Amino acid sequence: MKIIRIFYPAEIRDNEMQSLLDSRLEEIKREGEVNLLTVIENGGKTNHVKNSIQRQFSKSAGPHVHKSAVVGASGMIKVALAGVKMVTGRKIQAFESEEDAMKWLSED
């Protein structure tokens, strides 16, 4: 299964995030079903606009994503991931390294 990587620079602007996720969503839909690797630089910074963009992306991409791995999540992002995992039942896991995340995504 194809692994699609999303990299969030620490200082990504709202409009840049929207553009990035729009292009990844197109790629995900073309593939049909994928595993998703999200890499967040320096824990990332968020705001209500970025949170809204991310929620919409997750809602649209969710049916096409088999497993999701997140690298570099800060404490609050890890809490949010745990909530999403619990509510949706999705296979989402936080990792300390891309190597560990890729290994997990490649299993199955």
Side-chain angles (χ1 to χ4, degrees):
M1 185 170 309
K2 183 170 183 174
I3 296 172
I4 292 181
R5 184 178 188 269
I6 298 174
F7 175 73
Y8 291 113
E11 300 295 326
I12 192 168
R13 293 186 172 108
D14 298 349
N15 63 329
E16 293 169 333
M17 183 177 187
Q18 183 71 62
S19 178
L20 170 67
L21 293 182
D22 287 347
S23 68
R24 291 305 184 273
L25 183 58
E26 288 178 22
E27 185 179 2
I28 289 166
K29 288 182 176 180
R30 271 194 315 270
E31 291 296 322
E33 187 175 33
V34 300
N35 286 334
L36 190 61
L37 171 63
T38 302
V39 179
I40 304 168
E41 182 179 54
N42 297 328
K45 293 183 180 178
T46 192
N47 60 38
H48 70 281
V49 174
K50 285 183 175 85
N51 289 340
S52 178
I53 293 167
Q54 183 62 47
R55 277 192 304 273
Q56 184 58 44
F57 172 78
S58 293
K59 183 179 178 181
S60 298
H64 307 281
V65 177
H66 179 65
K67 291 180 4 180
S68 296
V70 179
V71 177
S74 65
M76 287 305 294
I77 294 173
K78 286 182 180 179
V79 170
L81 287 173
V84 169
K85 184 176 179 178
M86 186 176 67
V87 170
T88 65
R90 291 185 185 162
K91 296 178 185 176
I92 303 171
Q93 194 74 20
F95 293 90
E96 296 300 318
S97 73
E98 280 190 62
E99 182 179 292
D100 291 340
M102 290 294 289
K103 181 179 176 185
W104 182 74
L105 289 172
S106 298
E107 295 172 352
D108 274 350

